[in-house]
Amino acid sequence: MIAQPHHPVSDQGVSSIVKSRCGISLILAVVVLMSVTAVRANSLGYALSGGGARGLAHIGILKVLEEHGIKPDYISGTSIGAVIGSLYSMGYSATEVEAIVLSIDWARLTDDTYKRKDIYIGQKRWAPYGNFSLDFTDRWQTSIRTGVIESNRMNLEFARLYAPASPYQDFNELPIPFSAIATNLLTGEEELIDSGSLMQAVRASISVPSVIRPFKIGDEYYIDGGVANNFPMDRVREMGADICIGFKTNSALRTEDKLRNLIDVLDQTINIGMTRAIAGRVDSLCIVLEPPLDEYNARDFERAAEIIAAGEAYARENITYLLLALEMQGYRRNLRYSPSEPLPTEYRLSSIEVEGNRYISDSKILEYLKLYNGSTYTIREIINACHFAWNSQFFSIVYPILVPDGTFYKLTVIVEERERRNLGLNLVYTSEDQLNASAVLRVNNLILKNSSLLAELKLGSNNELNIDYVKNFGEFWGIYYRIFGYVNEHTTYLYNENNYKTDSVNKLEYGVSSGLGFFGGEYLSLESFIFSYRTNLYRDISQNFPLQQDFTVSGFGFKAYHESLDDFYFPRSGLRSLLKLDFSRDRNLSQYIYSKFEGNLDFYRPYNSRLSIAMKLRYGSYFDQPSQALIDPFMIGGSEGYMGYPKYAISAPYYKIYELALSYNPFKRTYLDLGIQALNISDYDDWSLQQDLEISPYLSWGYKSPVGPLKLVIAAPLNDNIQAYFMFGYTTDIFRFSRR
């Protein structure tokens, strides 16, 4: 029977006094029986319900019960109740469990986006893209995600939490015997998990349907235990408890006015099943504690401390009556402290195995992990190794399981590979180029192993077809071969002796480049390449246009790229540098002879958690052939250049842009930049202190939305009109490193 402490009840006798005064209900038949017969309850069990963030109130209740010598002999938990109950069963005190839970960044557990600074330099060859994406199997069938959250960070965090319990493959041998409740997705049946990996048992129990992807153990898939049994009081009785205390924290069904959005409806759908699953679980020897948590919902993990405190306050208010109820059932408290055996902190590996891989070999995955038999590691080192492998972007899931092997441990790394085919849909709008839409197909290991193909078809103000194929020889360090082909159609411009735009013409260009390069870990890519392209000018060509209508340019070049930014579009720390040097020197191969260099250097240094300083330098030079800048003019203005001029308004054979800015992050996903730019353009390379500079302060606002960056920039040049730019989507050229 479930107590409703703040509502009147109509029962009479002893049980009604207990209800009305303390909010703890006992069944009348049990009270009468104990008043006649002295019954000794030898064992006590705790049943911890689900409830999302509301379930953190379990900790507050545990603290009070522990202070008064009430300690369970058995624990069974569902969902968040499995998390709290399992930690307590490992021998941690309630205060220690509280510290563990408060140290977890719950929001980060659900964030499975790759951090730009963590991925390998080989993956940074391409700029981020894709407002939406679809995975395809090798048979080109769509692969639909089974949950909003892929949960790799959650898996790794739980692996860290439960690694100390690895010696206990039978949960009955834990300091407090424990069982977790999960729901088998294939059979729909409730399953009690009391052996194997404690981490896997708990993860299976908290997989909220449609939100967190089903969790796989062996050949079975599991979802949240609350679907089948959200209040496992019957299970803790089956474990051997004579009497049990149930901690009930799941929310009541919402009323119509509280079903405001899709998340509310999904939560209500899940809660209907959980509410029904409670029916019939409470028997005559159960005491149910239900703290008032109406002001909290299942997603309020940022209010963890408040919720724990609410559970503690409720337990303190009612502890006198709870002690009376337990005494009436013959339970005797244990006020002596019984320390648990110390849990392991280091693990010496006897063997390392990989489970779940389909295409990538065990030996290749072990190269990613860099863990070795016979060596001793902390769990943090093992977790970091798994995270390092995950950053290869070949896996959606990578987490470790440790099993005792004598005085050693057997490490099994569970992986799930990403599909090798992916289609990204890229919708981009800028006030400069208007709307462009593209589809980007990525295929890994096509033709050759350890290779990637990226193909983009773009339509809009710029029409393009780009195909980039890269074959790596090595995983973290090594050499690579690239072939990049393209066809594009866009407008090119003519500039006068003062560097201002005077004429335009449409241009169709197609070309190819082939390169051999070196890549090193997270640090650097170097590439030498050859290139050739042909250009056809058409439509509205003026008679005095200085270029031939059709021409071919061929040559060779070098380029280098380094990036250690924490984010590509809204960086707050790190360094980015891109250098390109092109030479066209043979008149037998090229109708124009020139040498061209362009380089970017961006440096970001955080001042505190919200404020950082940015310094940037852009430089371009046609060396000793300034007249050849007409062939492929520098785009100096615009949102990615000097913002005091529109994108195509100005060009020059030599330019330098200096920039200094403050970047402020006032809210999550929101960014404000206040900066100043200085531009020098000329017909010769001038690095003197007397160089002429144009100055433009600017202010920008940015927002990192789930479907792409949003950015608004206002620039106020001292010698010209105010310029405004609006951008949505992944605006940077995906193949900016691949191009000549």
Side-chain angles (χ1 to χ4, degrees):
M1 185 179 296
I2 300 173
Q4 302 294 336
H6 301 292
H7 299 279
V9 294
S10 58
D11 294 342
Q12 302 296 318
V14 176
S15 63
S16 67
I17 298 174
V18 175
K19 276 186 173 180
S20 61
R21 294 188 59 186
C22 67
I24 303 170
S25 65
L26 303 178
I27 294 183
L28 182 59
V30 176
V31 177
V32 172
L33 176 64
M34 288 191 298
S35 66
V36 176
T37 307
V39 178
R40 174 61 199 274
N42 293 312
S43 61
L44 173 67
Y46 286 172
L48 277 60
S49 78
R54 291 163 56 99
L56 300 179
H58 296 328
I59 301 172
I61 298 173
L62 287 173
K63 289 171 66 177
V64 176
L65 300 189
E66 186 179 281
E67 287 176 13
H68 289 80
I70 304 173
K71 298 178 182 177
D73 300 289
Y74 306 95
I75 300 177
S76 186
T78 295
S79 197
I80 190 67
V83 176
I84 306 305
S86 58
L87 291 171
Y88 199 59
S89 73
M90 289 167 62
Y92 293 117
S93 68
T95 301
E96 289 171 328
V97 173
E98 178 182 31
I100 291 170
V101 167
L102 292 179
S103 71
I104 297 173
D105 186 345
W106 293 92
R108 184 168 170 76
L109 292 189
T110 61
D111 180 7
D112 281 314
T113 56
Y114 293 98
K115 303 307 176 186
R116 186 75 182 179
K117 65 182 178 65
D118 292 335
I119 63 177
Y120 309 150
I121 192 68
Q123 305 293 348
K124 296 176 183 177
R125 297 179 181 125
W126 301 287
Y129 65 89
N131 313 94
F132 310 96
S133 67
L134 286 172
D135 290 331
F136 293 88
T137 68
D138 284 359
R139 296 184 178 182
W140 293 103
Q141 297 173 331
T142 55
S143 177
I144 306 299
R145 292 173 63 166
T146 54
V148 176
I149 301 168
E150 287 193 328
S151 72
N152 192 66
R153 290 188 192 279
M154 184 180 297
N155 292 343
L156 291 177
E157 180 64 14
F158 276 49
R160 181 187 69 82
L161 290 178
Y162 294 109
S166 298
Y168 301 99
Q169 295 298 296
D170 182 349
F171 302 167
N172 290 310
E173 296 176 357
L174 285 162
I176 303 173
F178 173 78
S179 66
I181 306 301
T183 305
N184 189 305
L185 181 61
L186 303 180
T187 66
E189 297 297 323
E190 170 192 348
E191 290 200 18
L192 181 144
I193 306 176
D194 59 2
S195 63
S197 163
L198 186 59
M199 173 269 174
Q200 289 184 314
V202 176
R203 264 295 286 114
S205 184
I206 65 167
S207 298
V208 181
S210 302
V211 178
I212 302 174
R213 65 183 301 173
F215 190 74
K216 186 179 182 182
I217 303 178
D219 295 327
E220 302 294 335
Y221 289 87
Y222 296 94
I223 58 174
D224 198 293
V227 174
N229 184 354
N230 198 37
F231 200 25
M233 299 189 75
D234 55 335
R235 291 300 195 175
V236 80
R237 291 293 306 279
E238 291 171 5
M239 293 173 70
D242 295 323
I243 56 174
C244 65
I245 300 176
F247 299 45
K248 183 178 180 297
T249 58
N250 64 296
S251 57
L253 295 178
R254 287 182 170 88
T255 56
E256 180 180 354
D257 61 306
K258 293 184 179 180
L259 294 172
R260 304 186 185 96
N261 52 50
L262 177 63
I263 299 298
D264 290 342
V265 173
L266 179 60
D267 184 58
Q268 182 86 332
T269 303
I270 297 167
N271 209 24
I272 289 171
M274 291 182 174
T275 302
R276 288 179 176 175
I278 290 176
R281 302 290 180 181
V282 183
D283 68 16
S284 60
L285 291 176
C286 294
I287 301 171
V288 178
L289 307 181
E290 186 175 9
L293 301 169
D294 292 343
E295 64 179 289
Y296 307 105
N297 64 52
R299 305 185 303 276
D300 279 343
F301 284 99
E302 73 279 1
R303 303 176 70 182
E306 293 179 42
I307 297 172
I308 294 171
E312 182 176 350
Y314 166 84
R316 292 196 185 284
E317 179 184 354
N318 296 292
I319 187 62
T320 301
Y321 307 104
L322 174 60
L323 294 174
L324 175 61
L326 289 173
E327 184 180 344
M328 292 172 66
Q329 298 194 55
Y331 177 77
R332 294 183 180 177
R333 292 183 286 161
N334 179 11
L335 298 175
R336 293 178 298 176
Y337 174 68
S338 302
S340 302
E341 294 184 7
L343 296 170
T345 58
E346 292 186 335
Y347 308 88
R348 190 175 181 186
L349 305 183
S350 61
S351 64
I352 306 173
E353 296 181 359
V354 179
E355 184 180 305
N357 48 323
R358 294 180 296 166
Y359 309 114
I360 303 176
S361 67
D362 290 7
S363 59
K364 188 65 66 177
I365 295 173
L366 292 177
E367 284 185 43
Y368 286 119
L369 292 168
K370 296 183 179 180
L371 298 173
Y372 306 100
N373 292 339
S375 297
T376 301
Y377 301 97
T378 64
I379 187 57
R380 175 55 64 189
E381 291 171 328
I382 296 173
I383 294 298
N384 288 343
C386 292
H387 194 266
F388 188 75
W390 181 71
N391 284 328
S392 69
Q393 298 185 320
F394 292 131
F395 308 98
S396 57
I397 297 293
V398 185
Y399 70 88
I401 296 296
L402 290 160
V403 177
D405 185 12
T407 58
F408 289 69
Y409 285 86
K410 172 186 171 183
L411 173 64
T412 301
V413 179
I414 311 295
V415 303
E416 183 173 315
E417 296 177 31
R418 293 193 178 279
E419 296 295 346
R420 300 191 292 180
R421 291 166 166 79
N422 175 270
L423 180 66
L425 304 177
N426 213 33
L427 190 66
V428 173
Y429 177 85
T430 69
S431 53
E432 304 158 298
D433 293 320
Q434 305 302 308
L435 184 66
N436 284 276
S438 65
V440 184
L441 176 67
R442 178 166 184 166
V443 182
N444 291 325
N445 298 328
L446 180 69
I447 304 176
L448 298 172
K449 290 184 178 181
N450 206 11
S451 66
S452 293
L453 171 81
L454 231 67
E456 177 193 39
L457 177 63
K458 179 189 290 186
L459 299 174
S461 60
N462 295 318
N463 300 316
E464 297 184 24
L465 173 64
N466 301 292
I467 301 175
D468 196 11
Y469 184 79
V470 177
K471 161 63 180 172
N472 291 327
F473 299 90
E475 300 303 327
F476 313 109
W477 300 78
I479 61 174
Y480 67 89
Y481 171 74
R482 173 199 302 280
I483 183 166
F484 174 71
Y486 68 94
V487 179
N488 64 45
E489 180 189 44
H490 61 272
T491 302
T492 191
Y493 299 91
L494 179 67
Y495 298 86
N496 62 18
E497 64 277 5
N498 295 319
N499 303 310
Y500 290 98
K501 181 177 68 176
T502 60
D503 205 349
S504 66
V505 62
N506 282 6
K507 178 171 76 171
L508 176 67
E509 180 177 301
Y510 54 91
V512 65
S513 65
S514 179
L516 183 65
F518 164 81
F519 64 97
E522 303 172 8
Y523 306 106
L524 183 66
S525 282
L526 298 171
E527 183 180 319
S528 61
F529 61 94
I530 56 175
F531 68 89
S532 180
Y533 66 92
R534 184 168 182 79
T535 298
N536 173 251
L537 306 178
Y538 66 97
R539 196 183 303 161
D540 301 330
I541 303 176
S542 60
Q543 292 185 352
N544 61 347
F545 201 83
L547 295 177
Q548 300 178 36
Q549 186 169 348
D550 295 280
F551 59 88
T552 300
V553 176
S554 301
F556 65 96
F558 303 95
K559 52 191 170 186
Y561 186 61
H562 167 80
E563 185 194 317
S564 56
L565 300 180
D566 59 340
D567 187 86
F568 189 87
Y569 281 95
F570 301 108
R572 303 193 67 250
S573 67
L575 178 69
R576 173 170 52 202
S577 178
L578 175 61
L579 309 175
K580 291 186 178 181
L581 182 60
D582 297 354
F583 298 96
S584 178
R585 312 302 296 175
D586 190 337
R587 292 190 180 277
N588 295 319
L589 300 175
S590 182
Q591 293 172 255
Y592 290 95
I593 302 300
Y594 70 91
S595 302
K596 175 186 176 183
F597 174 82
E598 191 165 21
N600 302 331
L601 179 64
D602 303 336
F603 175 71
Y604 298 84
R605 176 67 182 270
Y607 179 75
N608 56 36
S609 61
R610 295 192 178 275
L611 186 67
S612 62
I613 300 170
M615 292 177 283
K616 304 178 184 179
L617 173 65
R618 309 271 191 275
Y619 172 64
S621 170
Y622 265 89
F623 295 105
D624 56 345
Q625 297 96 14
S627 61
Q628 302 301 312
L630 295 173
I631 301 167
D632 190 13
F634 293 124
M635 294 296 101
I636 297 173
S639 59
E640 294 190 349
Y642 179 72
M643 292 179 283
Y645 287 115
K647 183 174 182 179
Y648 304 106
I650 191 168
S651 185
Y654 303 94
Y655 78 92
K656 292 179 285 291
I657 303 173
Y658 310 94
E659 185 173 338
L660 179 66
L662 292 176
S663 180
Y664 183 56
N665 179 207
F667 311 107
K668 185 179 181 181
R669 297 178 175 271
T670 302
Y671 303 85
L672 295 173
D673 290 354
L674 177 63
I676 187 168
Q677 292 182 311
L679 170 68
N680 169 252
I681 55 175
S682 64
D683 293 327
Y684 62 95
D685 205 1
D686 180 12
W687 286 93
S688 69
L689 295 176
Q690 289 76 36
Q691 59 184 286
D692 293 329
L693 295 176
E694 299 184 48
I695 305 298
S696 177
Y698 70 88
L699 175 66
S700 75
W701 168 87
Y703 179 72
K704 190 189 297 185
S705 81
V707 292
L710 278 167
K711 199 167 186 180
L712 176 65
V713 182
I714 306 294
L718 301 185
N719 61 343
D720 211 329
N721 296 324
I722 290 176
Q723 302 293 329
Y725 305 93
F726 175 74
M727 294 147 281
F728 166 73
Y730 298 96
T731 55
T732 301
D733 178 15
I734 300 169
F735 303 97
R736 66 194 213 120
F737 179 72
S738 308
R739 301 187 191 279
R740 54 180 165 79

